[in-house]
Amino acid sequence: MDGGNQSTVSEFELLGLCHSWNIQILLFIVFLTFYLVILFGNAIILIIIIVDPHLHSPMYFFLVNLSFFDMWLSSVTTPKMITDFFREDKTISFGGCMCQILFVHFIAGSEMVLLVVMAYDRYVAICKPLHYSILMSLHRCIGLVVTAWTAGFLHGISQMVVIVQLSFCGPRKIDSFFCDIPLVIKLACMDSSDMGALMNADSGIVAVTCFILVLISYPYILLTVFQSSKTGAFKALSTCTAHITVVVIFFVPCIFIYVWPLNITWFDKFLAVFYSIFTPLLNPIIYTLRNKEMKSAMQRFRNYYKDSQENC
């Protein structure tokens, strides 16, 4: 590497998820299928929301950004993991490792802030419906999304800037399928315990703060829902339940990794797989199966496609 980095390590070795060839073949098939479903499912959500004017509202504007984040988050680590199943030498360059750290924390940080924004949108829609069009104007929505992107970028770049200054002289083995801060810091040529705790605290504070902000909004939402009509309450609860489910499956693994690490290798790998693959996989399923408007939009899209085929 360059002199500014003072590193004698030009690449790292990823140990992956397992060492059994048969299991790796099985995992290749499973994760390749999951990755294609992630891309296809989130792409369908993006297309339907963009082309269907019935879905041009703040909630679906945020959902478009969430689907984009999910596709990107999975794409940072999953293609490398899938191809590594067929490689004996599972290496990643120093630059590639730093890029993974940057983009994982950039996207994850942005998605955390976006989930807070989506909770705020539901709070305004349910608790202040008469002011919704003013409080959630197009200008305000764009500003909130830009804030999420900016906050995620600042979080990601702050993590990478610290890591890239460290000196690595061996060992170079990372017991995971991608580069993450807690594992990379352990390989630095220094006592990394304080640095690791500081970097974990940085990520943990972001995760916990966003999680608490989301949780704060829901007592107000639920109180308002139970005081409203049964029809409105059912619709609101359906939307909120989908959002709460997404929040839980995204935040809980991150909190266990950075705030309350158990330092159990197989469990850490499971959590990493969960938030990088299963969360992007579950999000489109949750938002389509539990959302009547999305179901109706998908039906209109199918009907339009059939009519186009018949006219041709």
Side-chain angles (χ1 to χ4, degrees):
M1 296 302 295
D2 55 41
N5 188 47
Q6 296 181 350
S7 173
T8 58
V9 172
S10 60
E11 61 183 16
F12 296 100
E13 180 182 353
L14 301 171
L15 299 184
L17 295 177
C18 67
H19 301 290
S20 169
W21 175 253
N22 291 332
I23 295 178
Q24 288 191 80
I25 294 298
L26 175 62
L27 292 178
F28 168 80
I29 297 171
V30 171
F31 288 136
L32 177 60
T33 303
F34 284 172
Y35 182 58
L36 294 176
V37 171
I38 289 169
L39 295 181
F40 180 75
N42 283 289
I44 287 295
I45 289 179
L46 283 168
I47 293 170
I48 289 177
I49 292 176
I50 291 172
V51 302
D52 194 322
H54 297 89
L55 301 181
H56 291 177
S57 66
M59 184 177 78
Y60 294 103
F61 174 65
F62 298 137
L63 183 55
V64 162
N65 283 271
L66 181 64
S67 293
F68 181 75
F69 283 142
D70 283 337
M71 293 171 67
W72 196 5
L73 179 61
S74 183
S75 296
V76 172
T77 59
T78 308
K80 169 68 175 168
M81 177 185 65
I82 291 172
T83 57
D84 278 350
F85 284 132
F86 291 104
R87 295 176 181 169
E88 280 195 33
D89 187 23
K90 300 176 175 63
T91 58
I92 183 171
S93 68
F94 184 87
C97 187
M98 295 303 105
C99 285
Q100 280 194 340
I101 290 175
L102 169 63
F103 286 111
V104 164
H105 286 268
F106 172 18
I107 302 162
S110 299
E111 186 161 336
M112 288 178 186
V113 178
L114 182 65
L115 289 171
V116 175
V117 170
M118 294 176 74
Y120 173 71
D121 171 68
R122 292 300 83 205
Y123 165 76
V124 174
I126 295 171
C127 300
K128 301 181 181 293
L130 298 179
H131 300 90
Y132 184 75
S133 59
I134 299 174
L135 294 175
M136 300 305 295
S137 64
L138 178 60
H139 180 75
R140 175 72 62 85
C141 291
I142 293 174
L144 290 171
V145 169
V146 170
T147 299
W149 280 82
T150 304
F153 177 75
L154 293 176
H155 172 64
I157 203 72
S158 68
Q159 301 282 299
M160 192 200 68
V161 165
V162 173
I163 299 295
V164 81
Q165 301 298 321
L166 298 178
S167 187
F168 298 92
C169 53
R172 65 189 187 97
K173 294 183 178 180
I174 299 175
D175 195 3
S176 184
F177 62 93
F178 77 103
C179 292
D180 200 5
I181 286 176
L183 300 175
V184 174
I185 286 181
K186 292 179 181 179
L187 304 181
C189 302
M190 56 176 286
D191 182 4
S192 59
S193 57
D194 292 339
M195 177 68 72
L198 179 63
M199 299 300 284
N200 281 353
D202 183 19
S203 298
I205 288 172
V206 173
V208 171
T209 301
C210 291
F211 191 47
I212 290 174
L213 288 174
V214 172
L215 294 181
I216 287 174
S217 66
Y218 276 94
Y220 296 99
I221 292 174
L222 293 175
L223 180 63
T224 303
V225 163
F226 289 127
Q227 291 175 346
S228 64
S229 64
K230 290 184 178 180
T231 304
F234 179 79
K235 182 179 179 181
L237 277 177
S238 178
T239 303
C240 292
T241 302
H243 185 249
I244 291 173
T245 304
V246 169
V247 166
V248 170
I249 64 177
F250 183 79
F251 278 100
V252 170
C254 294
I255 290 173
F256 270 110
I257 290 174
Y258 298 107
V259 181
W260 190 16
L262 299 178
N263 295 320
I264 302 173
T265 301
W266 69 266
F267 188 64
D268 290 339
K269 290 182 180 181
F270 169 77
L271 292 176
V273 169
F274 196 89
Y275 82 76
S276 63
I277 296 178
F278 286 107
T279 299
L281 177 69
L282 292 173
N283 280 0
I285 296 174
I286 292 169
Y287 278 109
T288 52
L289 293 182
R290 298 191 60 85
N291 190 309
K292 290 184 177 180
E293 291 180 349
M294 280 297 299
K295 290 180 182 178
S296 300
M298 292 178 72
Q299 185 60 48
R300 287 193 295 270
F301 185 78
R302 282 194 294 266
N303 293 339
Y304 175 80
Y305 179 76
K306 288 180 181 178
D307 292 341
S308 301
Q309 292 293 102
E310 291 175 359
N311 292 333
C312 289

